[in-house]
Amino acid sequence: AQTVQLEGNDYFPPQSVRHEFLNDSTTTTVCSWKGTAHYYTVSVDGQVNPDAGWYYPNPSSRAEHIANHVAFWKGVQIVRDDQD
């Protein structure tokens, strides 16, 4: 999947992410120019990584190209699944 690189992060298109490993978090943060980020807790094989993914459901017009794209941090390893 083609990611969007922004501020040193790769934002993955929502259709390229395995949402069964993501659970909505109540955490939000505000970026002065992108808007409000919402977070996911990543859960894989019994391991839980709170707030390790984030996305902007309603970004500002300057960041609309990353709407609903998901970025990761906190040691999340990205694995390509060529079965799709």
Side-chain angles (χ1 to χ4, degrees):
Q2 184 69 33
T3 63
V4 176
Q5 293 188 340
L6 186 63
E7 296 182 320
N9 296 302
D10 282 300
Y11 285 82
F12 293 82
Q15 69 274 13
S16 72
V17 176
R18 302 276 302 268
H19 288 270
E20 65 268 26
F21 298 119
L22 306 178
N23 298 299
D24 288 325
S25 168
T26 58
T27 302
T28 60
T29 57
V30 177
C31 171
S32 62
W33 75 271
K34 291 187 299 276
T36 301
H38 293 249
Y39 286 77
Y40 288 122
T41 291
V42 178
S43 301
V44 180
D45 294 333
Q47 296 186 24
V48 178
N49 194 341
D51 300 336
W54 73 93
Y55 66 102
Y56 292 87
N58 298 296
S60 70
S61 59
R62 291 172 46 197
E64 63 187 14
H65 60 293
I66 62 163
N68 293 311
H69 284 52
V70 184
F72 297 97
W73 64 335
K74 293 187 174 182
V76 172
Q77 180 180 6
I78 305 302
V79 178
R80 183 180 178 101
D81 183 357
D82 289 323
Q83 296 177 5
D84 295 331

